[in-house]
């Protein structure tokens, strides 16, 4: 399975991609998670990405393409992947097409998860992440057992999950990422999935799409 999950901020890409990766035995590759790990580790990449992420803007295409090219060259990703939050611009989609063509493979499907804007804002501002194991909670819809994660780790809020930055991220999505809908639709690889309802329900919808792919 070579799949892309796309959709606006907090549509549930990470929640779904993690489950799908485990179920289909392929790595879950999130460019957002890679940038956050680089920021936490204080690397050059983290320094380059931080300002863009905290402002709700996209990290420049050349930087993003560099990390994806390296990751897709690793052995586990050669056999398949679920990409989460990449590509996010038309040049990134073209770059991904070139990488896959050089490996003589192609994407099976691009799943666009759609959720109404009011709910996206509630999902983002209510999200809490375990600093230790990375597990994602929602204070209302998927609350942690107490004040900490099940593993005992402290729960933190992403810096870019403030209401102002979420609005900026949404605007960035509308202008820079939404054109990919037409791009992949013209390629015949786009499947639009309703992202409302509980995560199990959304998962079942995506699995039905995967099952419909000629693998
Ligand atoms: P990234 O980390 O990818 O952020 P995003 O796209 O804004 O998406 P999120 O991670 O916020 O949401 P999600 O869709 O994964 O939802 P989740 O499952 O967590 O990117 C961050 C930044 O990095 C970007 O802004 C940009 O600066 C940079 N970047 C990343 N990729 C880039 C690229 N390719 N090019 C350039 N720059 C890039 O769910 C959200 C919340 O909702 C959680 O609390 C969850 O528990 C809850 N939830 C999930 N599903 C449901 C449901 N069905 N019902 C109720 N609640 C739900
Ligand atoms: Mg995510």
């Amino acid at each position: 399975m070579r799949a892309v999950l796309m959709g606006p901020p907090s549509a549930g890409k990470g929640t779904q991609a993690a489950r799908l990766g485990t179920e289909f035995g392929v790595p879950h590759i999130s460019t957002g998670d890679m940038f956050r790990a680089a920021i936490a580790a204080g690397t050059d990449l983290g320094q380059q990405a931080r300002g863009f992420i905290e402002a709700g803007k996209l990290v420049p295409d050349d930087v993003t393409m560099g990390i994806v090219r390296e990751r897709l060259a690793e052995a586990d990703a050669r056999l398949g992947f679920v990409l989460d939050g990449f590509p996010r611009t038309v040049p990134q989609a073209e770059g991904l097409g070139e990488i896959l063509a050089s490996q003589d493979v192609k994407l099976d499907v691009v799943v666009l998860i759609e959720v109404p804007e009011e709910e996206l804002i509630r999902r983002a501002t209510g999200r809490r992440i375990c600093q230790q194991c990375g597990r994602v909670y929602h204070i209302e819809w998927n609350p942690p057992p107490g004040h900490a994660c099940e593993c005992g780790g402290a729960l933190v809020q992403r810096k870019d999950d403030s209401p102002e930055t979420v609005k900026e991220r949404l605007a960035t999505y509308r202008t820079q990422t939404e054109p990919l809908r037409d791009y992949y639709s013209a390629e015949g690889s786009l499947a639009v999935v309703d992202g409302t309802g509980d995560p199990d329900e959304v998962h079942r919808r995506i699995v039905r799409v995967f099952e419909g792919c000629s693998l």
Side-chain angles (χ1 to χ4, degrees), residues 137-158:
Y137 292 94
H138 189 279
I139 47 171
E140 231 177 301
W141 297 310
N142 176 21
H147 291 296
C149 178
E150 223 168 48
C151 77
L155 298 175
V156 291
Q157 189 168 18
R158 261 168 54 175

Side-chain angles (χ1 to χ4, degrees), residues 9-15 28 30 32-33 36 84-85 88 127 136 158 169:
S10 294
K13 302 181 293 297
T15 302
H28 161 208
S30 156
D33 287 348
R36 280 184 290 278
D84 156 10
R88 261 172 147 103
R127 171 170 42 197
V136 178
R158 261 168 54 175
R169 285 160 59 203

Side-chain angles (χ1 to χ4, degrees), residues 2-83:
R2 290 181 179 82
V4 167
L5 293 196
M6 63 174 276
S10 294
K13 302 181 293 297
T15 302
Q16 297 299 330
R19 277 181 77 165
L20 293 162
T22 307
E23 208 168 306
F24 286 78
V26 291
H28 161 208
I29 301 176
S30 156
T31 39
D33 287 348
M34 288 159 88
F35 288 134
R36 280 184 290 278
I39 292 171
T43 64
D44 282 352
L45 171 68
Q47 274 174 18
Q48 285 179 69
R50 184 196 284 269
F52 295 103
I53 292 180
E54 289 178 2
K57 309 276 185 210
L58 294 186
V59 176
D61 284 340
D62 56 336
V63 177
T64 306
M65 282 313 306
I67 61 162
V68 172
R69 195 172 288 110
E70 271 182 30
R71 183 65 187 88
L72 291 183
E74 288 176 33
D76 61 342
R78 289 285 189 144
L79 302 173
F81 49 74
V82 179
L83 283 170

Side-chain angles (χ1 to χ4, degrees), residues 1-211:
M1 171 54 67
R2 290 181 179 82
V4 167
L5 293 196
M6 63 174 276
S10 294
K13 302 181 293 297
T15 302
Q16 297 299 330
R19 277 181 77 165
L20 293 162
T22 307
E23 208 168 306
F24 286 78
V26 291
H28 161 208
I29 301 176
S30 156
T31 39
D33 287 348
M34 288 159 88
F35 288 134
R36 280 184 290 278
I39 292 171
T43 64
D44 282 352
L45 171 68
Q47 274 174 18
Q48 285 179 69
R50 184 196 284 269
F52 295 103
I53 292 180
E54 289 178 2
K57 309 276 185 210
L58 294 186
V59 176
D61 284 340
D62 56 336
V63 177
T64 306
M65 282 313 306
I67 61 162
V68 172
R69 195 172 288 110
E70 271 182 30
R71 183 65 187 88
L72 291 183
E74 288 176 33
D76 61 342
R78 289 285 189 144
L79 302 173
F81 49 74
V82 179
L83 283 170
D84 156 10
F86 176 90
R88 261 172 147 103
T89 63
V90 171
Q92 289 182 16
E94 290 168 347
L96 174 63
E98 284 163 22
I99 294 170
L100 296 181
S102 75
Q103 298 180 358
D104 217 16
V105 295
K106 59 182 191 55
L107 280 179
D108 294 299
V109 67
V110 176
V111 176
L112 168 60
I113 305 177
E114 284 198 322
V115 174
E117 190 154 319
E118 322 77 71
E119 180 154 348
L120 292 172
I121 295 170
R122 287 178 72 189
R123 285 190 188 184
T125 51
R127 171 170 42 197
R128 298 292 182 276
I129 301 165
C130 173
Q131 223 169 9
Q132 203 160 285
C133 72
R135 182 165 169 172
V136 178
Y137 292 94
H138 189 279
I139 47 171
E140 231 177 301
W141 297 310
N142 176 21
H147 291 296
C149 178
E150 223 168 48
C151 77
L155 298 175
V156 291
Q157 189 168 18
R158 261 168 54 175
K159 260 197 172 161
D160 61 347
D161 274 345
S162 66
E164 304 71 41
T165 313
V166 171
K167 286 191 185 127
E168 194 58 46
R169 285 160 59 203
L170 275 165
T172 302
Y173 176 80
R174 302 284 176 228
T175 53
Q176 290 182 264
T177 308
E178 230 162 40
L180 288 181
R181 187 188 182 118
D182 287 345
Y183 180 92
Y184 282 120
S185 181
E187 260 195 7
S189 45
L190 187 78
V192 180
V193 165
D194 175 8
T196 60
D198 82 69
D200 291 344
E201 224 174 300
V202 179
H203 176 71
R204 280 194 293 275
R205 290 181 198 128
I206 301 176
V207 169
R208 275 200 293 275
V209 169
F210 277 22
E211 285 169 352

